[in-house]
Every structure is written in structure tokens, then in C-alpha cells.
Amino acid sequence: MNINEVKQILTKYDVSVKKQFGQNFLMDNNIINKICDVSNVSKEVNVIEIGPGLGFLTQELKQRANKVMCYEIDPEMVKVVTNRFENDENVIIKYQDFLKANIDNDIEKYLSDKPVIVVANLPYYITTAILIKILEESKYIKQMTVMMQLEVADRICGKPSTKDYNSLSVLMQYYTTCKLAIKVGKMCFYPEPNVDSAVVLIKHKEEILNAAVNEEYFKKFNRIVFAQRRKTLANNLKSGFGYKKELIEEILIKNNIPLTIRTEALSVEQIVHLSNEFYLAQNK
Ligand code: SAM
């Protein structure tokens, strides 16, 4: 696929590129193939694609997978892919905002015959919302291969004591293992985005060792301890939760954690453990 071919398709279907929907079409066939390779797409899986756009990735997915179910918010793109794949029984197009979808209902209705994975070149303006929705709402999806802004990919895979490490890193690495699989330059897209991109392979952990006692509390704790990066962990806990200095010091000392530490120096396991300690101290 090259720019002229993309423009021809846009003209043929009389559709326009819409920035507000994060439309940057992936033209590079090598990258499309690599995405399918790292995802292990085969006839043994069903695939959910968020935002098929003009259908370039869909085209490869439908050849390799058992079934592909696509969610697309833009009616013009729905028109294109419905037309392109009208004779493909294994392609299901849903005209819907993915953020409003009932994912597991749809999986039970259309994709229940095989394990389900997500493969998508995401609309960047809602990357985090999409990932969190899948983590929180789907019990069936165990793997996602998703293209996103490189900066967000670095955060998701970020390690402690680096500038990329934040609450999103902790949340994602608590539930999943994340691997930056492919870096993708701007010129692979039409129109070119302003930022570089990367494909991240995300696999749900089979079992979470040392799990949070209360997940909702852990998620809140995780947000609060990173709320102000310049502040220490103790100060974030004080301002975010209003916990007393004595309680904070008691728990940090008990766990051999320096009182002046910043949250970014703590591992995911340490953050989960501390959230459990504070939760249990409040709910004795
Ligand atoms: N998959 C195509 C490709 O790789 O060339 C297009 C990817 S483009 C980065 C993102 C796609 O997501 C666009 O087609 C856009 O219309 C669609 N989209 C944006 N917001 C969406 C939403 N909330 N739900 C479903 N699709 C959405």
C-alpha cells in the first residue's frame, strides 16, 4: 500500500480522513504482517479489531484468523469496510463506539467458538481508556497487540526509577506482562501522525501472585501515590488520603522503606504490598 493507493480508496468511496477520530492509516505491509506474526494470529483464534478504518489490517487479519469482529465509530469507514468485506463471512463489522460496547456480550454472541485476542492500530486519543476498559470489563480477552503512541508504549512498559514509570505502568504490569514488540516510524502512516508509534504485546497474567486485597483500593492508592511526582510517597499519601504522619511512618518503617522515598523508586510488587498494608490498617 502507498499514499496514492490510499488516496484512491478515499476517492473511490468518497470519504475523508477525520483527525478527531485519530485516523492515521497504516500503509506499511511489512508492519501489518509483523503485527499479525507477533500476535500469532491463526485459524485457532478470533480477533477483535478496534477501528478498522479503511481495512488494511483487517484484510490480513481475516485471512489468518478464524473470525474478525471490528468496532468502528466513523460511519464513513463503516461504509468502506462493509463494502470491502461484504463477501467475507468471517468478518463482522459493528458500527459502534468501542468505549460504549458490551465486549463480553458481543464475544458470547459472535466469537465464542475460539479464544479471543485483540489486534488493533488504536485511535491514540483514547488508548488508555481502551486498555483499561478491556482489562476491567472482559473476562475473555487474554492478549492484546496494540499500536499506540511510542510515549504511551514506553510508559506501559516503564521500569521503576525511570521517567516513563507511572501509575499506568503499575496498573498494566500488575495485571499483565507488556512487551514493546515493534517501533513504527511516522512515514508508515497516512496521514503521518505527529508522534512516533510502537506496537505493544500485552498478555494477561494467568495468576497474580501477591494480589491486592481490595482491587478498587489498590487502583486508588496507585493513582494517589503518583499524583505529584515531585513529592515523596509519604507526602502524596498525606495529601491524597489525609492519612496521619504517624500511620504513614509506622507502615513505611515496618516495611524498610525510607521515609523520603519517591513512589517512582518502588517496584510494582512494593506498591501492591504497601496498598495492602494501608488498606488493612484502615479496615482492622
Ligand atoms: N486500523 C486502521 C489502520 O490500521 O489503518 C485504522 C487505524 S486509525 C489509527 C484508528 C481507527 O479507529 C479509525 O478508523 C477511527 O475512526 C477508529 N475509531 C476512533 N475512535 C473510535 C472508537 N471510540 N470506537 C471505535 N473506533 C474508533
Side-chain angles (χ1 to χ4, degrees):
M1 202 64 59
N2 59 42
I3 292 186
N4 287 336
E5 288 172 299
V6 178
K7 286 184 178 167
Q8 270 171 19
I9 294 181
L10 291 168
T11 311
K12 177 179 167 194
Y13 289 98
D14 190 25
V15 297
S16 57
V17 178
K18 294 174 205 68
K19 266 195 175 170
Q20 76 268 28
F21 288 141
Q23 290 177 354
N24 300 97
F25 304 112
L26 178 60
M27 300 185 291
D28 190 311
N29 285 328
N30 272 335
I31 304 285
I32 289 175
N33 279 318
K34 276 194 199 165
I35 292 173
C36 295
D37 291 345
V38 298
S39 319
N40 265 325
V41 180
S42 74
K43 294 290 168 196
E44 290 314 307
V45 293
N46 290 326
V47 173
I48 289 182
E49 185 188 8
I50 301 142
L54 297 171
F56 303 146
L57 178 59
T58 323
Q59 172 69 27
E60 186 61 30
L61 290 171
K62 69 138 198 189
Q63 265 153 20
R64 297 198 191 197
N66 181 53
K67 284 184 212 153
V68 186
M69 179 166 75
C70 308
Y71 293 91
E72 176 57 64
I73 199 171
D74 178 359
E76 289 200 333
M77 295 300 140
V78 171
K79 178 176 85 178
V80 176
V81 280
T82 305
N83 187 290
R84 284 191 68 184
F85 302 114
E86 67 181 347
N87 297 320
D88 294 293
E89 279 180 2
N90 70 338
V91 180
I92 301 150
I93 311 282
K94 292 186 78 70
Y95 169 32
Q96 190 172 22
D97 176 350
F98 179 73
L99 294 180
K100 298 194 176 133
N102 189 327
I103 318 171
D104 279 3
N105 264 11
D106 291 340
I107 291 178
E108 282 163 13
K109 195 162 168 199
Y110 300 105
L111 305 178
S112 61
D113 55 338
K114 301 272 176 194
V116 179
I117 63 174
V118 166
V119 182
N121 172 17
L122 294 178
Y124 294 176
Y125 71 108
I126 45 170
T127 299
T128 311
I130 289 175
L131 297 179
I132 290 177
K133 178 180 172 78
I134 296 171
L135 282 185
E136 291 188 342
E137 294 181 18
S138 179
K139 61 177 186 284
Y140 298 118
I141 297 170
K142 299 287 178 214
Q143 180 185 303
M144 311 182 237
T145 313
V146 275
M147 174 96 74
M148 60 187 73
Q149 192 176 331
L150 177 60
E151 205 182 303
V152 180
D154 282 336
R155 273 194 223 131
I156 286 176
C157 306
K159 295 291 165 226
S161 300
T162 66
K163 69 170 179 22
D164 298 316
Y165 189 63
N166 67 5
S167 59
L168 182 62
S169 328
V170 174
L171 188 70
M172 292 301 294
Q173 293 172 35
Y174 173 69
Y175 289 107
T176 69
T177 55
C178 312
K179 188 172 160 240
L180 198 157
I182 316 166
K183 284 193 180 175
V184 185
K186 298 173 190 172
M187 62 293 170
C188 296
F189 301 88
Y190 177 82
E192 280 193 16
N194 299 325
V195 291
D196 284 323
S197 303
V199 176
V200 181
L201 177 61
I202 300 169
K203 290 187 181 182
H204 281 237
K205 289 180 182 163
E206 297 272 318
E207 188 191 354
I208 298 177
L209 300 171
N210 306 317
V213 175
N214 180 306
E215 287 203 4
E216 287 316 308
Y217 178 84
F218 158 64
K219 285 182 204 161
K220 185 173 176 195
F221 184 91
N222 180 39
R223 275 196 307 275
I224 282 179
V225 291
F226 280 102
Q228 300 198 45
R229 278 186 88 88
R230 285 164 179 275
K231 282 192 176 178
T232 60
L233 167 69
N235 282 336
N236 273 318
L237 285 169
K238 222 181 291 165
S239 56
F241 279 113
Y243 289 157
K244 292 211 170 79
K245 192 169 172 250
E246 295 72 35
L247 173 77
I248 297 171
E249 290 189 356
E250 184 194 318
I251 293 181
L252 295 192
I253 290 167
K254 178 180 155 208
N255 287 282
N256 289 324
I257 293 183
L259 300 179
T260 54
I261 202 163
R262 285 179 206 272
T263 309
E264 68 209 48
L266 297 172
S267 67
V268 174
E269 294 71 26
Q270 282 177 305
I271 292 173
V272 177
H273 180 72
L274 279 179
S275 89
N276 285 345
E277 293 270 303
F278 279 94
Y279 178 77
L280 293 171
Q282 298 303 308
N283 296 277
K284 274 185 200 158

